[in-house]
Amino acid sequence: MTEDTTKPGLSRRTLLKGAAAGAGLAAGSGAITGFPYVMSQEAKVLRYLGTAVNAGDEISKKCLADTGIKIEYITVTTDDVTKRVVTQPNSFDVLDTEYFSLKKLVPSGNILPLDAKKIKEFNNITPVFTKGQLPSGKKIGDQGTAPWKVLYLEGKDSKTFAKSPTEFVTLIPTVYNADTLGIRPDLIKRPISSWAELLNPEFKGKASILNIPSIGIMDAAMVVEATGQYKYADKGNMTKAEIDLTMKILTEAKKSGQFRAFWKDFNESVNLMASGETVIQSMWSPAVTKVRSMGIPCVFQPLKEGYRSWASGFCVSKGVSGKKLEWAYEFVNWFLSGWAGAYLNRQGYYSAVLSTAKANMDPYEWAYWMEGKPAEKDIKAPDGSLLEKAGAIRDGGSYDDRMGSVACWNAVMDENDYMVRKWNEFIAA
């Protein structure tokens, strides 16, 4: 990655965000050479709406080189992705969004499911998405909007999620991860093993939780259960009474001075942790890596109650047809062919097609990122910067260890509007 993530105003998971203009300029100037693709007279352009999880200069440049498709990124917040899909479906071609958003998007009728038969690697997509289990067969947590619950529609024009596989896929899976708390071990100076520690008075004024309601509420639920105050039937689909209880516990902690801040974007979380203003907080894997790259100890701490997970994928606007739809399928197939998956794996995420990503990584990289083994060599980012020195072990260990410990997924609840209102009241209190 070439982006300076210390710049202000960067949005979530910004380590993967880039300006698509760079690819266009480079191609126009002849700076990129050796394309396997022979440029045709008709420009192949796709408007790509998303939150930057899968976006980046290097990805768009490689896509252009390999396929001749120019990606024009439209990068907005998670909430604004939903608003644009519902109100401006003709303003984009390809949609990159999280699975929990589908409960809002599918009813609009403004997105077009993709045909599984036209996705070359579909049968090789990890069963985490398709069956709710690891490749080894181990089942993983299903509370919240787990991808396999909303992966299929009953028909091409259906607005109903299918209970068994069909050829009509809501989102073609691309990337996912298991999130937990970030900590400053040098300042805490003792082991941390539970989500309950976020509300430990020992860290009064030094804790933070993220201020994105659909995600923050899940972290809060993990904390509430860990403290033994309540056991949810489904953390991802709370009743109004459960929402009230959860927000009451958070509000009491806020009033007692537990929280230093409520962060909304990547850069805020990095600055809070790097400065020592917080020592324990909700965090994303690349943010932890960013703090470490600054020479500051920071750990993405495995916890005994497990991880909160999320997942993203691709679909297209209902207005896409003809050649543009063909280009969309070509782009998605390229994305799953391995180069992009390896790029994302090197950021700490997981590719939906593990086999193609592995083929595009050196064995020592795969061993570190996926198998939980000590790094045989220094681990570097795609831009060549040092992430970890030889001998380091990834926080949480192997893919099976981390994804096998998923407890819940980001969610849109039946009582989502009520939850968001109560969350915003908590933040404003």
Side-chain angles (χ1 to χ4, degrees):
M1 289 190 56
T2 58
E3 184 179 28
D4 178 3
T5 53
T6 63
K7 294 180 181 178
L10 298 179
S11 61
R12 61 177 303 195
R13 301 187 177 107
T14 312
L15 273 182
L16 300 183
K17 181 177 177 181
L25 288 172
S29 65
I32 303 175
T33 59
F35 291 2
Y37 172 80
V38 178
M39 300 298 287
S40 64
Q41 290 183 340
E42 182 179 9
K44 299 162 69 175
V45 179
L46 290 174
R47 298 167 299 167
Y48 177 128
L49 175 64
T51 58
V53 173
N54 293 328
D57 276 350
E58 296 305 317
I59 290 177
S60 61
K61 289 177 182 177
K62 183 64 173 171
C63 178
L64 181 64
D66 288 353
T67 68
I69 296 172
K70 180 181 178 182
I71 299 298
E72 293 183 347
Y73 289 124
I74 305 169
T75 303
V76 296
T77 66
T78 299
D79 289 341
D80 285 340
V81 166
T82 301
K83 291 176 184 176
R84 186 179 282 250
V85 171
V86 172
T87 63
Q88 303 176 59
N90 294 321
S91 67
F92 67 94
D93 302 316
V94 173
L95 174 65
D96 171 6
T97 192
E98 289 192 43
Y99 281 82
F100 78 85
S101 298
L102 288 171
K103 288 186 178 181
K104 296 180 180 179
L105 301 181
V106 168
S108 75
N110 287 344
I111 58 175
L112 184 69
L114 294 180
D115 186 344
K117 297 192 305 294
K118 295 183 179 181
I119 304 302
K120 296 176 182 177
E121 296 289 344
F122 191 80
N123 290 335
N124 293 323
I125 288 173
T126 171
V128 165
F129 283 92
T130 58
K131 299 179 181 179
Q133 63 187 43
L134 299 178
S136 65
K138 179 183 178 181
K139 292 288 186 180
I140 59 179
D142 66 350
Q143 292 192 15
T145 310
W148 58 93
K149 296 179 181 179
V150 292
L151 186 60
Y152 303 101
L153 293 179
E154 291 185 346
K156 180 180 178 181
D157 299 315
S158 175
K159 297 180 182 179
T160 303
F161 296 112
K163 294 182 179 179
S164 58
T166 70
E167 64 189 78
F168 306 106
V169 183
T170 54
L171 294 175
I172 301 299
T174 55
V175 67
Y176 53 109
N177 207 350
D179 288 351
T180 183
L181 297 176
I183 67 168
R184 281 286 302 270
D186 58 320
L187 300 179
I188 291 179
K189 298 179 180 178
R190 67 170 179 81
I192 297 293
S193 62
S194 173
W195 283 87
E197 297 281 14
L198 193 67
L199 295 188
N200 190 329
E202 177 184 346
F203 307 124
K204 182 177 180 179
K206 293 284 188 177
S208 178
I209 195 169
L210 77 169
N211 182 19
I212 300 173
S214 293
I215 307 175
I217 191 70
M218 302 304 290
D219 281 2
M222 293 293 286
V223 172
V224 170
E225 281 198 345
T227 59
Q229 296 180 74
Y230 187 76
K231 178 73 173 178
Y232 303 88
D234 184 347
K235 290 183 282 293
N237 197 23
M238 299 181 193
T239 64
K240 285 185 177 180
E242 289 174 329
I243 293 168
D244 289 342
L245 171 66
T246 306
M247 301 320 301
K248 179 176 181 290
I249 292 171
L250 282 188
T251 300
E252 289 174 352
K254 181 182 179 183
K255 289 181 177 179
S256 72
Q258 184 69 13
F259 300 112
R260 170 64 182 85
F262 305 97
W263 61 266
K264 265 197 167 184
D265 65 41
F266 170 92
N267 211 49
E268 287 180 284
S269 70
V270 169
N271 291 338
L272 286 167
M273 191 63 82
S275 67
E277 290 183 65
T278 62
V279 298
I280 185 168
Q281 66 176 27
S282 302
M283 218 163 176
W284 293 319
S285 180
V288 172
T289 299
K290 178 61 179 177
V291 174
R292 283 178 170 172
S293 73
M294 299 163 68
I296 299 168
C298 189
V299 172
F300 205 41
Q301 184 62 47
L303 302 170
K304 62 185 180 181
E305 297 88 6
Y307 294 84
R308 171 189 50 75
S309 198
W310 59 270
S312 293
F314 289 140
C315 65
V316 298
S317 167
K318 69 174 184 180
V320 173
S321 62
K323 287 187 176 180
K324 186 150 283 193
L325 182 57
E326 292 177 9
W327 301 340
Y329 275 109
E330 184 180 2
F331 168 67
V332 174
N333 279 316
W334 172 83
F335 202 95
L336 296 180
S337 67
W339 188 92
Y343 182 95
L344 294 169
N345 274 16
R346 294 186 185 104
Q347 308 305 314
Y349 297 118
Y350 294 128
S351 169
V353 183
L354 298 176
S355 56
T356 58
K358 184 177 183 179
N360 282 267
M361 299 177 75
D362 287 331
Y364 79 91
E365 292 181 297
W366 184 264
Y368 171 79
W369 288 111
M370 302 298 295
E371 296 175 350
K373 296 179 180 178
E376 294 180 5
K377 304 178 183 178
D378 289 349
I379 300 297
K380 296 182 179 180
D383 66 359
S385 63
L386 180 68
L387 290 181
E388 297 287 355
K389 293 182 178 179
I393 297 175
R394 181 176 184 175
D395 294 339
S398 71
Y399 174 86
D400 283 2
D401 289 339
R402 297 179 83 251
M403 289 307 300
S405 299
V406 166
C408 61
W409 297 78
N410 292 350
V412 168
M413 306 177 181
D414 292 343
E415 298 291 349
N416 184 69
D417 290 345
Y418 183 79
M419 183 278 291
V420 171
R421 178 161 62 85
K422 289 297 183 180
W423 181 273
N424 289 335
E425 289 174 358
F426 153 68
I427 294 296

